[in-house]
Every structure is written in C-alpha cells, then in structure tokens.
C-alpha cells in the first residue's frame, strides 16, 4: 500500500492510478470509468402497465348498464390524492404542518395541510359532476354541490387521517367511501345516512415511503402504487387478502384504565395466552391508515374500543370505520363494534362515532368470544 499525499490515506497502486487519472486529468475520466465499470443491464420498460384508471375501466365493462360515472368520480379523487401526496412531501419546507389556529368539528387542531387536503377533495369531487352531497371530517355540516354540478353519488371522506403526526414524519393518509343517493330529488344529508353495507366503493391512500391507494369497488381489494416517473397509480398488489389469523394486535394501551372488562381481558389474553401459545406482538402507530394497512398486509386485529372517556367510541362511522370495514370484509376479514358488524350499523348523524374491532376473522372472533363470556357472567 502507498500513502497518497492528496488522499492522505493508504491506497493500492491500482486505486492510486485511477484517482490520479480521473481527478488530475479530468479529460480521461469518462474513458477510464467506462473501462472500470461493468456494463449496465438493459432496463425493462413495461409497455402494458395496468394503471388504476385502466383497471376501473376494465371493471366497468363487466357491469351491464354501467355509464362510467363512478370512473369519472374516482379519477377526480386520484387528482386530489396526487396533489396531497406532493404537498405531504413538501410539508416541512412549506411549513404545512403548522396549526392554522382553528379546530375542526371534532375539536381537533387544524393544520395547514388539513385545510389544503380538505379543499382539494371538495373541489375535485365537485368538478367531477358525479357527486350530489359530501361529508368531511373537517366540516360541521354536509357539503351540498350546486345544482348544475350534481351527480348521483354521495361521498364521505377524511381528507388527512393522522395529521397530528405530520411533524414527526409518520405515515398519514386519506380515507373515502362512496354510496349512491337514495332520496328523490336533490341529494341531501339523508343520503349520507346509509349503512356501510350499501357502499359501492371505498378506499384509502397512504402517504408513506411510497404513495399507495387501496381500493375496492365490490369485487376484491387491489393496491396501486404511485409511479412518480409517469404520475400514474400502477397495480402492484392485485387481489389483496388478509390472513385468517395474524400475530399482531394494535390498540392504544395508554387508555387501558378507561376500557370495559371485555377489552381488558382480551388484551390480557393477547399478551398472556392461556393455551401456552406465543403472545401477539403489539404495534400501534396512531394513524388509522398506517395501522390498518399493516393489519391488511400481515393480519391481526386493530381496535379502538368504547371507553368511560368515549362511551360511543372515538372513530367516526361514516368516513373512518365504514370504509375500512368495507375493504377488510372484501379482503376476507371481519369488523364489528362488539354487538353487530360495522357495515350493518344504521347511522343517525353524519359525524357519529363508533367503537371498532377489525382485522383477521379469527382474531376478531377471539375478541367476540371474550366479550360474550363477559356478557354472560353479568346475567
């Protein structure tokens, strides 16, 4: 080895020669580096990519009498989600994580990115000419579309779920559910008060290491990842299925003192199984989209129960519980409020809250079994 006076390090004669030739004589750099580097393999380009728009069009052709209205609506949602994805990645530079000084209808602090995301969803959905009325987490009243722009669908959405995590760079997301209007005449709030079982489509967007949309239009669940090079969502996870049983439970154990007996006993059972099996692992992000995406991929159970602090639950039925329950059921899982399936709950108000236990069928059944035992013991 030789001590190079420029690099001030020990070098082999070969590396020293390469350094001298490429740095002291830049004109030789490309020729020498070409000799040193192995040839790059030819990059394959998919010339028949299944984009989300193309996928929905294919699904549309399977339904007799389909008009393409839902496709147009979903395309408008895609535009909003792409714009939010870009804003999320610039949030730190543009100070979009800062509070705007107000609160939403839930009493939560609003951030600039919350307001921007909400405006994008509202304006893009209006511009589709396929929506009659909407409900957003950020608006106290339902959002009626002007008569000239009304369509036959109603949409519920949480434009930016988990926004309190923006500043610490935790994955956040958007959630949406779509129904057809059922009332005669102009769409109104009553059209939004339908059980989740009557939804025609639901999905969520996850803004994490990549931007992904998980969507169901009633025929399975499919995942699409945003390819920034072409600006399109590409099918990467076709026909997603949740495992029948998972090894993870997800719940905020900081609120354990407020839980009812059934929830307390079930979590205890997850940590200390009586049958000698391995305990479940605990994972909790605090962003429903992130927690639910992990649950969908790996199985297990996500729970946000009722408590003495929140007797009716914390999560909102129309734009959090119902869309997620729809996706999980279409993927082969299960969702319940402890008494009935989440999708069978009849909403009575647009911001109604509900407890939820959702995930792999066998994990949710384990909870229901514990709950039934606790109910029987009270009689």
């Amino acid at each position: 080895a030789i001590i190079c006076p420029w690099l001030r390090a020990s070098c082999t004669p070969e590396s020293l020669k390469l350094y001298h030739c490429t740095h002291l004589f830049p004109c030789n750099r490309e020729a020498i580096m070409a000799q040193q580097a192995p040839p790059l393999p030819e990059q394959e380009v998919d010339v028949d990519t299944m984009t989300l728009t193309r996928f929905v069009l294919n699904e549309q052709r399977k339904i007799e009498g389909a008009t393409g209205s839902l496709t147009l609506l979903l395309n408008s949602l895609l535009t909003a989600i792409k714009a939010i994805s870009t804003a999320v990645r610039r949030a730190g530079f543009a100070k979009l994580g800062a509070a705007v000084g107000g609160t939403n209808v839930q009493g939560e602090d609003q951030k600039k990115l919350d307001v921007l995301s909400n405006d994008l969803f509202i304006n893009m959905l209006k511009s589709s000419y396929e929506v009659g009325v909407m409900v957003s987490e950020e608006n106290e009243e339902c959002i009626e579309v002007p008569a000239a722009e009304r369509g036959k669908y109603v949409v519920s959405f949480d434009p930016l779920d988990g926004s309190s995590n923006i500043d610490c760079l935790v994955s956040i997301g958007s959630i949406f559910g779509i129904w057809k209007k059922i009332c005669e005449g102009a769409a109104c709030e009553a059209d939004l008060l339908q059980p989740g079982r009557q939804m025609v489509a639901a999905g969520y967007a996850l803004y994490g290491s990549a931007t992904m949309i998980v969507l169901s239009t009633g025929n399975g669940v499919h995942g699409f990842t945003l390819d920034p090079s072409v600006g399109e969502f590409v099918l990467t996870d076709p026909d997603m299925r949740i495992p029948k049983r998972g090894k993870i439970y997800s719940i905020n154990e900081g609120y354990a003192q407020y839980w009812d007996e059934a929830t307390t006993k079930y979590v205890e059972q997850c940590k200390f199984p009586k049958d000698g099996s391995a305990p479940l692992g605990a994972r909790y992000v605090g962003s429903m989209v992130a927690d639910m995406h992990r649950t969908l991929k790996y199985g297990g159970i996500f729970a946000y129960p009722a408590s003495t602090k929140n007797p009716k639950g914390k999560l909102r039925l129309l734009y959090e519980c119902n869309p997620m329950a729809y996706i999980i059921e279409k993927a082969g899982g299960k969702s319940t409020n402890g008494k009935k399936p989440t999708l069978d709950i009849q909403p009575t108000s647009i911001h109604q809250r509900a407890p939820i236990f959702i995930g792999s069928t066998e994990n949710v059944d384990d909870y229901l079994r514990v709950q039934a035992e606790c109910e029987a013991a009270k009689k």
Side-chain angles (χ1 to χ4, degrees), residues 52-53 56 71-90 113 116-125 127 155-161 172-178 201-208 210-216 222-228 231-234 289 323-324 327:
L52 197 156
T53 302
V56 174
T71 303
L72 290 172
L73 192 163
L74 289 171
N75 270 334
S76 295
L77 279 173
L78 292 187
T79 303
I81 289 167
K82 289 175 188 176
I84 294 169
S85 175
T86 301
V88 167
R89 301 197 184 286
R90 287 195 52 80
L113 200 53
L116 182 148
S117 302
N118 193 48
D119 289 345
L120 278 167
F121 261 80
I122 292 171
N123 292 332
M124 290 302 103
L125 287 170
S127 69
V155 183
S156 67
F157 57 89
D158 182 349
L160 201 65
D161 174 69
I172 53 181
S174 303
I175 311 171
F176 60 89
I178 304 170
Y204 62 81
L206 178 65
Y207 313 112
T211 297
M212 186 175 199
I213 288 181
V214 174
L215 175 71
S216 177
H222 309 278
F224 303 82
T225 303
L226 180 62
D227 182 348
E232 289 285 352
F233 283 95
V234 177
V289 172
M324 289 301 185
I327 290 167

Side-chain angles (χ1 to χ4, degrees), residues 49-64 66-75 78 215 217 224 232:
T49 302
M50 179 60 74
T51 65
L52 197 156
T53 302
R54 180 181 174 188
F55 179 86
V56 174
L57 286 170
N58 285 351
E59 292 297 301
Q60 174 189 314
R61 291 176 64 87
K62 299 175 184 178
I63 303 172
E64 188 175 350
T67 62
S69 297
L70 183 60
T71 303
L72 290 172
L73 192 163
L74 289 171
N75 270 334
L78 292 187
L215 175 71
T217 55
F224 303 82
E232 289 285 352

Side-chain angles (χ1 to χ4, degrees), residues 255-274:
Y255 295 143
Q257 64 174 314
Y258 305 119
W259 293 343
D260 63 9
E261 182 186 11
T263 304
T264 301
K265 283 190 173 182
Y266 174 69
V267 172
E268 190 75 5
Q269 180 178 296
C270 290
K271 295 190 286 188
F272 303 98
K274 294 179 180 178

Side-chain angles (χ1 to χ4, degrees), residues 121-326:
F121 261 80
I122 292 171
N123 292 332
M124 290 302 103
L125 287 170
K126 281 183 178 179
S127 69
S128 72
Y129 292 88
E130 300 299 341
V131 179
V133 65
M134 301 172 260
V135 59
S136 167
E137 182 195 29
E138 304 297 327
N139 294 72
E140 185 172 359
E141 305 292 335
C142 65
I143 306 153
E144 294 185 0
V145 178
E149 301 174 2
R150 284 180 193 150
K152 64 183 179 182
Y153 291 102
V154 297
V155 183
S156 67
F157 57 89
D158 182 349
L160 201 65
D161 174 69
S163 58
S164 61
N165 290 319
I166 293 170
D167 289 337
C168 57
L169 304 183
V170 170
S171 296
I172 53 181
S174 303
I175 311 171
F176 60 89
I178 304 170
W179 292 259
K180 281 186 178 179
K181 66 184 290 291
I182 54 175
C183 299
E184 293 294 329
C188 59
E189 184 173 318
D191 288 300
L192 291 162
L193 302 180
Q194 301 182 54
R197 193 73 65 188
Q198 294 176 222
M199 276 193 289
V200 296
Y204 62 81
L206 178 65
Y207 313 112
S209 55
T211 297
M212 186 175 199
I213 288 181
V214 174
L215 175 71
S216 177
T217 55
N219 183 24
V221 177
H222 309 278
F224 303 82
T225 303
L226 180 62
D227 182 348
S229 65
V230 294
E232 289 285 352
F233 283 95
V234 177
L235 180 64
T236 52
D237 294 67
D239 195 21
M240 299 174 77
R241 304 292 294 175
I242 186 171
K244 290 183 178 179
R245 178 176 289 279
K247 300 178 181 179
I248 298 170
Y249 74 96
S250 183
I251 190 171
N252 189 344
E253 293 196 63
Y255 295 143
Q257 64 174 314
Y258 305 119
W259 293 343
D260 63 9
E261 182 186 11
T263 304
T264 301
K265 283 190 173 182
Y266 174 69
V267 172
E268 190 75 5
Q269 180 178 296
C270 290
K271 295 190 286 188
F272 303 98
K274 294 179 180 178
D275 60 2
S277 59
L280 300 188
R283 301 287 186 276
Y284 187 76
V285 176
S287 170
M288 188 185 188
V289 172
D291 281 314
M292 283 307 308
H293 189 67
R294 182 197 59 247
T295 302
L296 175 60
K297 294 285 285 186
Y298 302 147
I301 186 170
F302 170 84
Y304 211 119
S307 63
T308 55
K309 191 175 181 181
N310 296 292
K312 295 182 179 180
K314 180 73 182 295
L315 300 179
R316 276 65 56 143
L317 178 62
L318 287 184
Y319 41 82
E320 289 176 327
C321 298
N322 270 340
M324 289 301 185
Y326 186 86

